[in-house]
Amino acid sequence: MAASSSSSGNHKKLVVAVIGYTGGVGSCLLKAMNKIGLEPYALVRSSTMKVGSNNNNNSNNIHDEKEVPTNYDELAESLLQQRDGIPVIADVTASASIQKHYQGWLTKGISVVAANKGIFAGPETNYQALLQAAEIGKCRLLHETTVGAGLPILGTLQGLKASSHEIHTVEGILSGTLAFVLGQVANGKSSLSQAVKEAKALGYTEPDPRDDLNGMDVARKAVILARLAGMNGVELDKMAIESLVPEPLKDCNVEEFMDKLSEHDAAMAEKVAGVEAAGGRLHYAAKVNVKDNKVEVGLLSCEASHPFNNAGPDNMIAITTDFYTRPLVVQGAGAGGDVTATGVLANILECANQPA
């Protein structure tokens, strides 16, 4: 059941459990794993799981295994019994309850690959506890896809720090929805309300567009970026987060919000026109200023030469360091099942190289 990893420098095999395999990202992950010949050892969902036999017979098919009630302690023990393998749990759910098991798994030496940003953007004490658990277990904790889906953002940031770069700023367009809306209102092409209606009709927004417009998803990603850039004491509830949801429309139902948003078009148009009159462009972005120990999330006025002006609907990160005084840019699709799944798979393969 455990599959070899061609990227490993030893003869150990990756023994991978996928939690959330029936979801959108999970199904894409299984396809990607199959494409490179990496067979999962266990398939887990909220109520049941299929776990491979302990006989290491690679001819077995995990899909033929009997379903049993999901038990995360039993799953961990079964992974650890594969003595010639490197145990990995890939969590591609949005479940906070599953993340409560991360620390225990890591302490036992089971690497964790996560696509859910929750715990990584939560209280810093919980995040630090995970890092310490990974050190104790001498295993890997990887969550590249929590910022920018499959884009190599977190790995790039960590690589720069590890190779002696001093990180100055990390700026990011981290919401395709907000990038679309701001792109539509640029140059007066569309009003805010019309841009939001169009985004909703195209399926770019959450069922309640305020869940995008309030900037909280961008803020969570900003917390993760700040921590990986080396900042301490960054907490979501202490950050300055600019919401694009007008105050009078915060608590009404979705229909009323959509109907009355047009009453606030003029205010947004005025902001856009003011920035563009000075030759700039308005974007919704996160800005992590490591040197000033400051994290901001909201509307960012960018001069004409700023890389964000070429982002289009993509996610984009611009990293400035002591050596990259002209920002290093990572750009591409920041959402989608396939790109997220391949980002998760890349992290799984990294687990073949365990800490000493």
Side-chain angles (χ1 to χ4, degrees), residues 65-77:
E65 297 289 341
K66 180 183 177 181
E67 285 195 317
V68 297
T70 295
N71 184 308
Y72 293 118
D73 291 333
E74 290 181 5
L75 173 66
E77 288 307 310

Side-chain angles (χ1 to χ4, degrees), residues 106-163:
L106 291 164
T107 302
K108 292 177 180 179
I110 300 173
S111 291
V112 173
V113 173
N116 178 4
K117 68 181 73 67
I119 200 167
F120 304 103
E124 187 176 58
T125 52
N126 294 347
Y127 174 68
Q128 291 294 338
L130 293 184
L131 298 181
Q132 291 168 9
E135 288 185 10
I136 292 169
K138 295 184 178 180
C139 54
R140 306 295 297 274
L141 171 65
L142 300 168
H143 54 99
E144 180 68 73
T145 59
T146 57
V147 179
L151 293 176
I153 293 172
L154 303 188
T156 299
L157 191 55
Q158 290 175 301
L160 291 172
K161 283 189 82 262
S163 58

Side-chain angles (χ1 to χ4, degrees), residues 189-256:
K189 293 194 301 288
S190 179
S191 66
L192 174 63
S193 61
Q194 285 298 321
V196 172
K197 286 178 182 176
E198 186 176 354
K200 192 171 190 299
L202 291 169
Y204 294 166
T205 73
E206 296 293 333
D208 186 341
R210 287 172 293 190
D211 292 337
D212 297 291
L213 296 173
N214 64 15
M216 289 304 297
D217 185 60
V218 176
R220 292 184 186 96
K221 295 172 182 176
V223 171
I224 295 170
L225 289 171
R227 289 172 178 169
L228 288 180
M231 292 178 64
N232 295 315
V234 178
E235 299 285 2
L236 192 63
D237 59 2
K238 297 178 182 177
M239 284 171 47
I241 305 168
E242 181 179 5
S243 173
L244 298 189
V245 179
E247 190 68 28
L249 303 182
K250 284 178 62 176
D251 299 320
C252 60
N253 60 43
V254 177
E255 291 73 23
E256 185 178 353

Side-chain angles (χ1 to χ4, degrees), residues 331-344:
Q331 176 181 357
D338 286 322
V339 292
T340 303
T342 54
V344 171

